[in-house]
Amino acid sequence: MTFSLDTHRLERIAALLEREIEQENIPGAVVAVGRGETTAYFECFGYAENANGRSRPMTKETVFDLASLTKVTATLPCILTLIDDGDIRLNDPVALFIPEFADAAKGVVTIRHLLTHCAGLVPSRQFYELFSTPQAIRAAIRREGMGITPDVRTEYSDIGFMLLGEVVEAVSGLALDQFASERVFTPLGMSDTMFCPPPSLFARIAATEYGKVGVVHDENAEALGGVSGHAGLFAPMTDLISYVSMWLGHKPLLSDAVRRLAVENHTPALNGNRGLGWVCRHDAYDHTGDLWPRTTVGHTGFTGTSMAFDPASGLWMIILTNDVHYGRQKKAIIRLRHRLHNLAASAIRWE
C-alpha cells in the first residue's frame, strides 16, 4: 500500500505553531515533513531569539543546538560505522575499549546495553559541578559505577552515550567530533553540522536558555569542551533532512543490514521499547503521537528538537524549536510534538 501527503492538511501545522508562538509557549520553530527524498512541507515560524531586548526572526537556515539528538545524529552512526567496518561488535564488553570500566559489576556491560539504555547506569550526574577540567570529567565517566544490574529495565542515560563517545575515540584513534565529521557529516553533505560552531556562525544559531548562542546548552557537554557523545551537536534543518534520507536508504553511508538492526525493538521484554539509539513506538519517550505507524522510530532533544521516521513507509518529520529559550521548566514542546505528529499523520492519504 502506498500513500501521498495532503499538503492542504499539512497547512494546519502552521496555524498550531503560530498560536503557540503568540502565546509565548515557544519562541519559534522550523518544521519539515516528507516521504523518502521528497520534502512535502518545510516552513519556519517565529523567532530564533526573542528575549532581553533582542529579536531575530527564525529562518529555514537557522542552526539549532540539537541537545540529545546528538546521540542519534553523531554518536549512533559513528558506532554503527565501526560495526560495519568490523572493528566492534554489539556484544563486545565496554571494558574491552575502556579498561577503567572493568570490574566485577561492570564487566558484563556491552555496547548493546549502552545503545539500548539498559546498562543499569544512572540517567546523569552533574559532572560540571564536581570537576574542574574536561580531563577529570572524562576520567570520572570512565569510572562511573552501576545503578542496577544490566537488562533489568530501560532507563535513559546520558552517561551511557558519553561512554559510547569514549569508545569511538578509543577504537578509531580520533576524537568523536573529528570521526563524525569525516565519516558521517562530510559524506552526507551536512556542511553546517558540527560541534563547537565558530563565532562566524553565531548569527544563524537559535538562542537557547540564558541567551546562549553557539555555546552548548547542556552543562556537562559545555564542561567537556563542547564535545560529548550525549549532547553538543549543532545543525540546520537541511542537513537533518539529508541525514534522515540516509536512514531511509536514499544516501550511501551505513549498510542496509546495520540500519535494519538499529530500528528493531531490542528491549521487548523490558519496560521500554528501544532500538539501537532510537526510541520505538509506545516507549515512554515516544513523541510521535497517536497516529504514526508501529514501525516508526525517533528521538528528541531537551532544547526542543526531534526527529522521527518510519522505515517501512518512508514517512518522516523533523521539528526544531528553541523551546528552552523561555526557560527550561515550561516545556510546552512535550505536548506540542504529539499534536504536530498527529497533524502530519492525518495528512496521509492511503492509496
Side-chain angles (χ1 to χ4, degrees):
M1 184 178 291
T2 61
F3 71 88
S4 60
L5 287 166
D6 184 332
T7 54
H8 178 71
R9 281 182 172 268
L10 285 175
E11 288 302 323
R12 297 177 182 178
I13 291 172
L16 175 55
L17 285 170
E18 286 165 359
R19 288 197 302 272
E20 293 291 305
I21 292 166
E22 183 179 357
Q23 294 168 8
E24 295 191 344
N25 289 327
I26 58 170
V30 181
V31 176
V33 182
R35 184 186 183 193
E37 291 189 287
T38 301
T39 301
Y41 185 88
F42 182 5
E43 297 294 340
C44 61
F45 306 88
Y47 303 95
E49 187 170 7
N50 189 37
N52 301 322
R54 298 190 60 179
S55 179
R56 282 188 291 128
M58 194 74 78
T59 73
K60 292 182 177 180
E61 293 75 38
T62 297
V63 174
F64 288 80
D65 178 341
L66 298 185
S68 282
L69 277 192
T70 301
K71 294 179 173 73
V72 293
T73 309
T75 309
L76 174 63
C78 288
I79 290 289
L80 298 181
T81 294
L82 294 174
I83 293 174
D84 267 343
D85 289 350
D87 292 326
I88 65 174
R89 305 175 306 149
L90 281 179
N91 289 330
D92 278 338
V94 176
L96 182 63
F97 313 108
I98 303 176
E100 301 95 316
F101 206 69
D103 65 22
K106 297 186 296 185
V108 298
V109 175
T110 66
I111 301 295
R112 187 193 301 269
H113 287 135
L114 298 184
L115 287 169
T116 56
H117 294 279
C118 62
L121 296 165
V122 298
S124 188
R125 202 176 297 283
Q126 294 174 323
F127 294 110
Y128 63 94
E129 292 184 345
L130 300 172
F131 304 97
S132 59
T133 67
Q135 295 77 15
I137 294 175
R138 292 181 66 181
I141 292 166
R142 288 169 169 251
R143 297 191 307 266
E144 179 66 30
M146 303 295 294
I148 60 172
T149 303
D151 282 325
V152 171
R153 68 171 184 260
T154 61
E155 185 163 10
Y156 186 78
S157 175
D158 281 351
I159 295 173
F161 270 76
M162 292 177 182
L163 285 163
L164 287 168
E166 296 290 307
V167 170
V168 171
E169 179 168 341
V171 175
S172 71
L174 298 175
L176 175 64
D177 57 338
Q178 185 178 354
F179 188 84
S181 177
E182 293 182 6
R183 298 297 302 274
V184 180
F185 308 145
T186 297
L188 292 177
M190 299 168 66
S191 58
D192 288 327
T193 300
M194 66 193 75
F195 294 88
C196 304
S200 59
L201 197 63
F202 285 9
R204 285 181 53 196
I205 297 175
T208 55
E209 196 177 3
Y210 315 123
K212 280 187 175 181
V213 177
V215 178
V216 60
H217 179 260
D218 182 273
E219 291 92 347
N220 278 333
E222 182 179 4
L224 282 163
V227 180
S228 182
H230 76 293
L233 195 65
F234 288 75
M237 176 64 79
T238 49
D239 282 7
L240 295 179
I241 292 173
S242 294
Y243 182 67
V244 81
S245 179
M246 180 275 293
W247 277 97
L248 297 170
H250 301 292
K251 291 180 181 290
L253 187 76
L254 301 173
S255 69
D256 291 346
V258 83
R259 283 190 290 104
R260 286 195 299 268
L261 182 66
V263 299
E264 292 177 3
N265 183 0
H266 288 254
T267 61
L270 302 183
N271 62 311
N273 299 317
R274 290 281 170 171
L276 301 181
W278 296 108
V279 177
C280 300
R281 283 293 272 152
H282 308 303
D283 183 89
Y285 284 80
D286 176 17
H287 69 281
T288 57
D290 308 301
L291 307 176
W292 276 56
R294 62 178 180 81
T295 45
T296 299
V297 298
H299 209 284
T300 63
F302 186 81
T303 50
T305 60
S306 66
M307 177 187 297
F309 63 92
D310 173 29
S313 66
L315 179 66
W316 55 265
M317 185 172 195
I318 303 169
I319 303 168
L320 301 176
T321 80
N322 48 341
D323 172 68
V324 295
H325 192 44
Y326 292 152
R328 67 177 65 194
Q329 301 303 324
K330 198 168 189 179
K331 299 309 292 176
I333 191 63
I334 294 174
R335 182 170 180 265
L336 179 59
R337 285 188 186 116
H338 291 260
R339 298 166 69 196
L340 290 169
H341 280 83
N342 280 352
L343 287 176
S346 72
I348 295 174
R349 294 188 298 195
W350 295 99
E351 300 165 351

